Amino acid sequence: MSITVYRKSHFNAAHRLYRKDWDDTKNQSVFGKCNNPNFHGHNYELEVGITGEINPETGFLIDIEKLKKIIKEEVEDYLDHKNLNIDIPEFKNLNPTMENISVLIWNKLRNRLEEYYQISVKLYETPRNFVVYTG
Amino acid sequence: MSITVYRKSHFNAAHRLYRKDWDDTKNQSVFGKCNNPNFHGHNYELEVGITGEINPETGFLIDIEKLKKIIKEEVEDYLDHKNLNIDIPEFKNLNPTMENISVLIWNKLRNRLEEYYQISVKLYETPRNFVVYTG
Amino acid sequence: MSITVYRKSHFNAAHRLYRKDWDDTKNQSVFGKCNNPNFHGHNYELEVGITGEINPETGFLIDIEKLKKIIKEEVEDYLDHKNLNIDIPEFKNLNPTMENISVLIWNKLRNRLEEYYQISVKLYETPRNFVVYTG
Amino acid sequence: MSITVYRKSHFNAAHRLYRKDWDDTKNQSVFGKCNNPNFHGHNYELEVGITGEINPETGFLIDIEKLKKIIKEEVEDYLDHKNLNIDIPEFKNLNPTMENISVLIWNKLRNRLEEYYQISVKLYETPRNFVVYTG
Amino acid sequence: MSITVYRKSHFNAAHRLYRKDWDDTKNQSVFGKCNNPNFHGHNYELEVGITGEINPETGFLIDIEKLKKIIKEEVEDYLDHKNLNIDIPEFKNLNPTMENISVLIWNKLRNRLEEYYQISVKLYETPRNFVVYTG
Amino acid sequence: MSITVYRKSHFNAAHRLYRKDWDDTKNQSVFGKCNNPNFHGHNYELEVGITGEINPETGFLIDIEKLKKIIKEEVEDYLDHKNLNIDIPEFKNLNPTMENISVLIWNKLRNRLEEYYQISVKLYETPRNFVVYTG
């Protein structure tokens, strides 16, 4: 009797999309206005999904207060009100696209959650652009 | 050519999370503020998904007016403006968590829909906490 | 240069609409399914608006972290996961309709905010039913 | 490391559900108020999902500006502010149900996107009725 | 102690914007793609606001079930699944713009509600375009 | 017969809240995490309201395509994907709070719209924090 529980969260951050080893013309051609050297930013909306079996004793798949706390520690405290390119070590040499941010979040949650849970990460960069990563 | 049709619905209900065979300290420790003995409540938002083949004669997977009627009879009439712990027999000895409510809804819809339809139930307990159950 | 700053918040509660001095028939006729003696409940969504002048030193009308804290203390801590009829003294002899709840919230915020701020309270009882009270 | 990128879009259109080879009584019985011979209409909300591997050079699964342009050319320019029954050749003899519209959109996008991308189409006909088609 | 109660509703309709006394070139220049002679359509979302005093006996400004019934009879039954230009007499010689539709709805509600209530009508033609009319 | 027409828009930007003439301790105390020297960012959602009389010839208060174009030129082209502190001259010595951004937008629209229109600006900095400025 497999079920998935979801918890929504959010964080705000600045970023820039570019490659240091490309010149301005190529960066502009590939990343467009996202290449602004002074950065721009987003309200990222996050939906974390956890799949597993319902615990018959409590009726819970997972204690959602515990899940909320893990998301706060792993995602909000780490990414909220940050400059992704400058403040986050994983993005020093990796573009902070919504694809790469969702993989980072998934990996950080994977380290904190028991192996028998499957994890999905849905990340909205804008209300019209979003991504789903399931490992 | 498999396709899924979704219909949204909603109901409002009161509930309390606790186990009669646990003492207050344990209930409080596991269920926190959801253990209020006087109950609290939610606006539950429901998305029912039905998967199958498009009927080439009508262009419908399912007559959505029929689906709407089944959801009204099985879910809204049964759960809306109710106290889940007191008014709903299935929750006399089962915690009305969003996980268990979604399983109840799925089972009730399964009894009313033809076997060749797959069913999914997405249930929002709050705008930030929700669950998906697919049987 | 008057401006209004809004902060959204939410709480979940159970309630019942009825008058103790009316018999069942009259309560049922006036309050319908909201008269369930075992209670039902809602996710209340709240938007608090504060009107005044921008502080030229900070660019803020009000420190929104301070406003968030006042809303938490006056509204969330007081009403969240409660039975409005039983747990909230103001509703012992007053019907906890969305109208009366919004007046209660407005009065509690009025006591905590400086006189030169105007206050508005928008309260959603369901996604389709809501109320605005401005004192 | 498979991932799915989504892009939202929308278009407005008129339509009527009926079969030319059925009489009025049967059309009314099967399609109800959707059978109005003078047409009615909807704001269709669309979510296109593209699944594949992240390009390690850019951090993108797909250039979302390119995806946005394809959706504009294949869907918005073709369906927006149109009468689906009269203006769209594919629906001359096929009912423009949300099921059939989603299949049309999927086929048009399939022709424009590289084979190694999987495609999903989610189409809202109203805020409460929607469909998902994945080919 | 004035307060405003809101009720949301919706209807779907087809329409065309044009003037019979203008030629095609002028209609196209002023109304653009809304001038499609075969019509297009929208999901109209409606928020009706009623302002007055709380009834101290019930705690209601207005019985929202009564308001819901009036909106159904005056707006939904009259406009839902209709072609505004053809099926609605008021728009035989008046453009069914969102401005004019909101005035029509306000007038129809004004006829049904007691004089001591003020009325506001908010009408979404699309998620990005909407209008407010207060008489 | 006064009416208000609204148009939604959005832009993404980076910013930092601080005063150059304050030391780090004071900036941190007043602006908290918004004081990150490397910037953070938001998806700003904008609702522009225009009030006036309906033009009886067209049924429009204002040609919404014209309004959309003015918002694009004055707001989106000016603020989207920008660093508000560095790229926008008005914020060189003024804190880019949501209050001050809304006043800037209002002033820029005021210069482009005829005097007989009243203007309101609603600006969401996050889904929970927003501001309304009406001049």
Side-chain angles (χ1 to χ4, degrees):
Chain A
M1 208 157 73
S2 177
I3 201 164
T4 306
V5 164
Y6 295 87
R7 171 75 193 169
K8 285 197 192 178
S9 176
H10 65 102
F11 57 93
N12 313 317
H15 76 157
R16 175 194 178 186
L17 301 185
Y18 77 117
R19 286 183 66 99
K20 293 172 188 168
D21 55 340
W22 287 358
D23 63 19
D24 280 359
T25 310
K26 183 151 188 197
N27 273 318
Q28 198 61 31
S29 141
V30 174
F31 298 111
K33 59 188 179 180
C34 298
N35 178 38
N36 179 351
N38 295 327
F39 308 104
H40 63 286
H42 298 288
N43 300 332
Y44 291 91
E45 299 288 327
L46 175 67
E47 288 180 21
V48 174
I50 307 293
T51 302
E53 303 287 319
I54 302 179
N55 177 336
E57 199 177 28
T58 58
F60 286 156
L61 169 73
I62 189 172
D63 178 352
I64 212 152
E65 291 299 318
K66 180 190 153 194
L67 177 59
K68 187 178 165 181
K69 186 168 172 287
I70 291 174
I71 294 172
K72 183 181 179 302
E73 291 171 2
E74 295 299 317
V75 184
E76 295 175 29
D77 292 351
Y78 195 64
L79 298 177
D80 189 38
H81 280 73
K82 297 292 172 58
N83 183 310
L84 300 178
N85 303 74
I86 298 176
D87 297 327
I88 308 303
E90 285 89 344
F91 294 126
K92 280 286 153 60
N93 293 298
L94 181 70
N95 241 340
T97 59
M98 59 180 175
E99 289 91 333
N100 283 336
I101 302 170
S102 71
V103 173
L104 170 66
I105 291 170
W106 192 92
N107 287 335
K108 286 174 70 67
L109 294 174
R110 183 70 287 168
N111 286 340
R112 286 291 300 276
L113 287 157
E114 290 80 354
E115 275 306 309
Y116 50 82
Y117 289 128
Q118 294 173 51
I119 302 172
S120 71
V121 165
K122 187 180 204 173
L123 184 71
Y124 285 79
E125 191 169 88
T126 73
R128 290 183 174 266
N129 297 340
F130 57 104
V131 68
V132 171
Y133 180 65
T134 58
Chain B
M1 208 157 73
S2 177
I3 201 164
T4 306
V5 164
Y6 295 87
R7 171 74 193 170
K8 286 197 191 179
S9 177
H10 64 103
F11 57 92
N12 313 317
H15 77 157
R16 174 194 179 186
L17 301 185
Y18 76 117
R19 285 183 66 100
K20 292 171 189 169
D21 55 340
W22 287 358
D23 63 20
D24 279 358
T25 310
K26 182 151 189 198
N27 274 317
Q28 198 62 31
S29 141
V30 173
F31 298 112
K33 58 188 178 180
C34 298
N35 178 39
N36 179 352
N38 294 328
F39 309 104
H40 63 286
H42 297 288
N43 299 331
Y44 291 92
E45 297 290 326
L46 175 67
E47 289 180 21
V48 174
I50 307 293
T51 303
E53 303 287 318
I54 300 179
N55 177 337
E57 200 178 28
T58 57
F60 287 157
L61 168 73
I62 189 173
D63 178 353
I64 211 152
E65 290 299 319
K66 180 190 153 195
L67 177 58
K68 186 177 166 182
K69 187 168 171 289
I70 291 173
I71 294 172
K72 183 180 179 303
E73 292 171 1
E74 295 299 317
V75 184
E76 295 175 30
D77 291 351
Y78 195 63
L79 300 177
D80 189 37
H81 280 74
K82 297 291 172 59
N83 183 308
L84 300 178
N85 302 73
I86 298 176
D87 297 328
I88 307 303
E90 287 88 343
F91 294 126
K92 280 285 154 62
N93 294 297
L94 181 70
N95 240 340
T97 59
M98 60 179 175
E99 290 91 333
N100 283 335
I101 302 170
S102 71
V103 173
L104 170 66
I105 291 171
W106 192 92
N107 287 335
K108 286 173 70 67
L109 294 173
R110 182 72 286 169
N111 285 341
R112 286 290 301 277
L113 286 158
E114 290 80 353
E115 274 307 309
Y116 51 81
Y117 288 128
Q118 295 172 50
I119 302 172
S120 72
V121 166
K122 187 181 204 173
L123 183 70
Y124 286 79
E125 191 169 270
T126 74
R128 290 182 174 267
N129 297 340
F130 57 104
V131 67
V132 171
Y133 180 65
T134 57
Chain C
M1 210 156 75
S2 177
I3 202 164
T4 305
V5 164
Y6 294 87
R7 171 74 193 170
K8 285 198 190 177
S9 176
H10 65 100
F11 58 93
N12 313 318
H15 77 156
R16 174 195 177 185
L17 301 185
Y18 76 116
R19 284 182 67 98
K20 293 172 189 167
D21 56 339
W22 287 357
D23 62 19
D24 278 1
T25 310
K26 183 152 187 196
N27 274 318
Q28 198 61 30
S29 142
V30 173
F31 298 111
K33 59 187 176 180
C34 299
N35 177 39
N36 179 352
N38 294 327
F39 309 103
H40 64 285
H42 298 288
N43 300 332
Y44 292 91
E45 297 289 325
L46 175 67
E47 288 180 22
V48 174
I50 307 293
T51 302
E53 303 287 319
I54 301 179
N55 177 337
E57 199 178 28
T58 57
F60 286 157
L61 168 74
I62 190 173
D63 178 352
I64 212 152
E65 289 300 318
K66 180 189 153 194
L67 177 59
K68 185 177 167 183
K69 187 169 171 286
I70 290 173
I71 295 171
K72 183 181 180 302
E73 291 171 2
E74 295 298 318
V75 182
E76 294 175 30
D77 291 351
Y78 195 63
L79 299 177
D80 189 37
H81 280 74
K82 296 292 171 59
N83 183 309
L84 300 178
N85 303 73
I86 298 176
D87 297 326
I88 309 302
E90 287 88 344
F91 294 126
K92 280 286 152 62
N93 294 297
L94 182 70
N95 240 341
T97 59
M98 61 180 174
E99 290 91 333
N100 284 334
I101 303 171
S102 71
V103 173
L104 171 67
I105 291 171
W106 191 92
N107 287 335
K108 287 174 69 67
L109 294 174
R110 182 71 285 169
N111 287 339
R112 286 291 300 277
L113 286 158
E114 290 80 355
E115 275 305 310
Y116 50 82
Y117 288 127
Q118 294 173 51
I119 302 172
S120 71
V121 166
K122 187 180 206 174
L123 183 70
Y124 285 80
E125 191 169 272
T126 73
R128 290 183 174 265
N129 297 340
F130 57 105
V131 68
V132 171
Y133 180 65
T134 58
Chain D
M1 207 156 74
S2 178
I3 201 163
T4 305
V5 163
Y6 293 88
R7 172 74 193 168
K8 285 196 191 179
S9 176
H10 64 102
F11 58 93
N12 313 317
H15 76 158
R16 174 195 179 185
L17 300 185
Y18 76 117
R19 285 183 67 99
K20 292 171 189 170
D21 55 340
W22 287 358
D23 63 20
D24 280 359
T25 311
K26 181 151 190 198
N27 274 318
Q28 199 61 31
S29 141
V30 173
F31 298 111
K33 58 187 178 181
C34 299
N35 177 40
N36 179 352
N38 294 328
F39 310 104
H40 64 286
H42 298 288
N43 300 331
Y44 292 91
E45 299 288 327
L46 175 67
E47 288 180 21
V48 173
I50 307 293
T51 302
E53 303 286 320
I54 301 179
N55 176 338
E57 200 178 27
T58 58
F60 286 157
L61 167 74
I62 189 173
D63 178 353
I64 211 151
E65 290 299 319
K66 180 190 153 194
L67 177 59
K68 186 177 166 182
K69 186 169 172 285
I70 291 173
I71 294 171
K72 182 181 180 303
E73 291 171 2
E74 295 299 318
V75 183
E76 295 175 28
D77 291 350
Y78 195 64
L79 299 177
D80 189 36
H81 280 73
K82 297 291 172 59
N83 183 309
L84 300 178
N85 302 74
I86 298 176
D87 297 326
I88 308 303
E90 286 89 343
F91 294 125
K92 280 286 154 62
N93 294 298
L94 182 70
N95 241 339
T97 59
M98 60 180 176
E99 289 91 333
N100 283 335
I101 302 169
S102 71
V103 172
L104 170 66
I105 291 171
W106 191 92
N107 287 335
K108 286 174 70 67
L109 294 173
R110 181 71 287 169
N111 286 340
R112 287 290 300 276
L113 287 157
E114 290 80 354
E115 275 305 311
Y116 50 82
Y117 289 128
Q118 294 172 51
I119 302 172
S120 72
V121 165
K122 186 181 204 172
L123 183 70
Y124 285 79
E125 191 169 270
T126 74
R128 290 182 175 266
N129 297 340
F130 57 104
V131 67
V132 171
Y133 180 65
T134 56
Chain E
M1 208 156 75
S2 177
I3 202 163
T4 305
V5 163
Y6 294 87
R7 172 74 193 169
K8 286 197 191 177
S9 176
H10 65 102
F11 57 93
N12 314 317
H15 76 157
R16 174 196 178 185
L17 300 185
Y18 76 116
R19 284 182 67 97
K20 292 172 188 169
D21 55 340
W22 287 358
D23 63 18
D24 278 359
T25 310
K26 183 151 188 196
N27 273 319
Q28 198 61 31
S29 142
V30 172
F31 298 111
K33 59 188 177 181
C34 298
N35 177 39
N36 179 352
N38 293 329
F39 309 102
H40 64 286
H42 298 287
N43 300 332
Y44 291 91
E45 298 289 326
L46 175 67
E47 288 180 21
V48 174
I50 307 293
T51 303
E53 304 286 318
I54 301 179
N55 177 338
E57 199 178 28
T58 57
F60 286 157
L61 168 73
I62 189 173
D63 177 353
I64 212 152
E65 289 300 318
K66 179 190 153 195
L67 176 59
K68 186 178 165 182
K69 186 168 172 288
I70 290 174
I71 295 172
K72 184 182 179 300
E73 291 171 3
E74 296 298 318
V75 183
E76 294 175 31
D77 290 351
Y78 195 63
L79 299 177
D80 188 37
H81 280 73
K82 297 292 171 60
N83 183 310
L84 300 178
N85 303 73
I86 298 175
D87 297 327
I88 308 302
E90 287 89 343
F91 294 126
K92 279 287 153 62
N93 293 297
L94 181 71
N95 242 340
T97 59
M98 60 180 174
E99 290 92 332
N100 284 335
I101 303 169
S102 71
V103 173
L104 170 66
I105 291 171
W106 191 92
N107 287 335
K108 287 174 69 69
L109 295 174
R110 182 72 285 170
N111 287 339
R112 288 290 301 276
L113 287 157
E114 291 80 355
E115 274 307 309
Y116 51 82
Y117 288 127
Q118 294 172 50
I119 302 171
S120 72
V121 165
K122 187 180 205 174
L123 183 70
Y124 285 80
E125 191 170 272
T126 74
R128 290 184 173 264
N129 297 340
F130 57 104
V131 68
V132 171
Y133 180 65
T134 58
Chain F
M1 208 156 76
S2 178
I3 202 163
T4 305
V5 163
Y6 294 87
R7 172 73 193 169
K8 285 198 192 178
S9 176
H10 64 101
F11 57 93
N12 313 317
H15 77 156
R16 174 196 178 185
L17 300 185
Y18 76 116
R19 285 183 67 99
K20 292 172 189 166
D21 56 339
W22 287 358
D23 62 19
D24 278 0
T25 310
K26 183 150 188 197
N27 273 319
Q28 198 60 31
S29 141
V30 172
F31 297 111
K33 59 188 177 180
C34 298
N35 178 39
N36 179 352
N38 293 328
F39 309 104
H40 63 285
H42 298 288
N43 300 332
Y44 291 92
E45 297 290 325
L46 175 68
E47 287 180 22
V48 174
I50 306 294
T51 303
E53 303 286 320
I54 301 179
N55 178 338
E57 198 178 29
T58 57
F60 286 157
L61 168 74
I62 190 172
D63 178 352
I64 212 152
E65 289 300 318
K66 180 191 153 194
L67 177 60
K68 186 178 165 182
K69 187 169 171 286
I70 291 174
I71 295 171
K72 184 182 179 300
E73 291 171 3
E74 296 297 318
V75 183
E76 294 175 30
D77 291 351
Y78 195 62
L79 299 177
D80 189 37
H81 280 74
K82 296 293 172 59
N83 182 309
L84 300 178
N85 303 73
I86 297 176
D87 296 328
I88 307 303
E90 287 88 344
F91 294 126
K92 280 286 152 62
N93 294 297
L94 182 70
N95 240 341
T97 59
M98 60 180 175
E99 290 93 333
N100 284 334
I101 303 170
S102 71
V103 173
L104 171 66
I105 291 171
W106 192 92
N107 287 335
K108 287 175 70 68
L109 294 173
R110 182 71 286 169
N111 287 339
R112 286 292 300 277
L113 286 158
E114 290 80 356
E115 274 307 308
Y116 51 81
Y117 289 127
Q118 295 173 49
I119 302 172
S120 72
V121 165
K122 187 179 204 174
L123 184 69
Y124 285 79
E125 191 169 271
T126 73
R128 291 184 173 265
N129 297 340
F130 58 105
V131 68
V132 171
Y133 180 66
T134 59

